[in-house]
C-alpha cells in the first residue's frame, strides 16, 4: 500500500471555495482575509467498497503589493476531517510562504 491511494487528488474535489476580502491597505500593502471550504471523495483503488472522504475549512491572510497586485506573503490554516472508516479522523494543516 502507498499513501497515494489514500490521498485525495485534484480530480477528487467535490467542493472548492476560496473567498478573499481586503481588510486594509497600509503603506502600499493590502491585507487580505481568506476563507473557504474544501471537500473531496474518492474510492481507494477505485473500489466503491472503500470510500474516502475529506473536508476542511480554510482561514488565512495574504499580503499583496497594492499597486502591482504581487503576492508578498501567505498564511493558510486548515481544519477538517478525514473519513475512511466509520470513525472520522481530525486533520489540520498550515501553509506559510513569504516572497524573498
Amino acid at each position: 500500500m502507498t499513501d497515494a491511494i489514500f490521498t485525495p487528488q485534484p480530480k477528487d474535489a467535490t467542493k472548492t471555495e476560496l473567498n478573499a476580502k481586503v481588510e486594509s491597505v497600509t503603506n502600499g500593502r493590502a491585507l487580505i482575509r481568506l476563507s473557504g471550504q474544501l471537500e473531496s471523495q474518492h474510492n481507494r483503488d477505485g473500489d466503491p467498497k472503500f470510500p474516502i472522504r475529506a473536508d476542511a475549512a480554510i482561514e488565512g491572510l495574504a499580503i499583496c503589493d497594492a499597486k502591482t497586485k504581487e503576492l508578498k506573503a501567505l498564511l493558510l490554516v486548515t481544519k477538517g476531517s478525514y473519513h475512511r472508516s466509520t470513525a472520522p479522523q481530525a486533520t489540520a494543516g498550515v501553509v506559510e510562504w513569504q516572497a524573498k
Side-chain angles (χ1 to χ4, degrees):
M1 285 210 247
T2 64
D3 289 344
I5 64 173
F6 296 102
T7 305
Q9 303 298 313
K11 65 180 176 52
D12 302 322
T14 57
K15 182 176 186 178
T16 57
E17 179 183 311
L18 186 62
N19 301 298
K21 178 183 176 188
V22 176
E23 291 286 319
S24 64
V25 178
T26 306
N27 297 327
R29 294 201 168 196
L31 175 64
I32 302 167
R33 182 165 305 279
L34 303 166
S35 63
Q37 186 74 25
L38 297 173
E39 294 178 8
S40 69
Q41 184 168 341
H42 73 284
N43 296 323
R44 190 189 83 197
D45 294 328
D47 189 335
K49 292 180 184 176
F50 303 107
I52 298 175
R53 292 183 301 113
D55 60 78
I58 305 168
E59 292 190 35
L61 296 171
I63 298 174
C64 292
D65 183 299
K67 186 175 183 179
T68 67
K69 311 291 191 258
E70 183 179 349
L71 184 63
K72 297 295 184 180
L74 177 68
L75 174 66
L76 293 175
V77 178
T78 65
K79 179 180 178 183
S81 58
Y82 180 83
H83 312 258
R84 73 170 204 197
S85 63
T86 56
Q89 299 172 331
T91 185
V94 175
V95 174
E96 184 177 14
W97 175 85
Q98 185 172 358
K100 292 187 179 195

